[in-house]
Amino acid sequence: MESVLVLSHSIIPFKGLCENKKGVIGTHFNSCSFGINGRKQRSVVLVKAEAVSINPDIRKSEDKVVDSVVVTELAKPLTAYCRCWRSGTFPLCDGSHVKHNKATGDNVGPLLLKK
């Protein structure tokens, strides 16, 4: 299965960085404005990666989706191929990346093959 990394975070105790009342992590070394049982606590953001599938439903029964194109045999002088995995005409691009980009903030576009 192809995968992509998605970043998430959690707070762990760490000497030297501090969280203020609004939950903002700072790099100052003064006492924090909160504590447990009168003891001051310092925190840092830990970023970890989690695997998420890119391909929503295209040819999922195959171990790997691979397409080959002989450029000299293309019917059009310019052919757009999907790279967002959302095209209804996969492997050709149908413009589905526009909706995907608006929904996710991504910037994926097609692969353009010229004859």
Side-chain angles (χ1 to χ4, degrees):
M1 172 174 69
E2 298 291 324
S3 62
V4 65
L5 297 178
V6 175
L7 298 178
S8 63
H9 71 277
S10 58
I11 304 295
I12 60 168
F14 185 81
K15 186 176 181 180
L17 297 178
C18 186
E19 182 175 330
N20 66 21
K21 290 180 183 178
K22 295 181 181 178
V24 177
I25 301 296
T27 58
H28 55 83
F29 293 92
N30 297 333
S31 299
C32 296
S33 58
F34 67 95
I36 300 172
N37 296 329
R39 187 172 162 212
K40 301 294 182 186
Q41 184 173 345
R42 298 171 191 261
S43 301
V44 67
V45 175
L46 172 67
V47 179
K48 62 182 178 180
E50 298 172 11
V52 178
S53 178
I54 296 172
N55 179 357
D57 59 0
I58 296 172
R59 296 171 16 203
K60 295 298 264 188
S61 62
E62 298 177 27
D63 288 337
K64 185 187 288 188
V65 179
V66 178
D67 294 292
S68 298
V69 177
V70 178
V71 178
T72 57
E73 295 178 4
L74 291 172
K76 301 177 191 175
L78 185 66
T79 305
Y81 282 82
C82 177
R83 293 192 307 162
C84 74
W85 291 91
R86 270 89 186 143
S87 176
T89 59
F90 190 88
L92 298 176
C93 175
D94 67 359
S96 294
H97 60 274
V98 174
K99 181 179 177 183
H100 165 77
N101 288 346
K102 285 181 183 177
T104 64
D106 205 349
N107 66 347
V108 70
L111 166 66
L112 299 176
L113 293 183
K114 296 178 182 180
K115 189 171 184 181

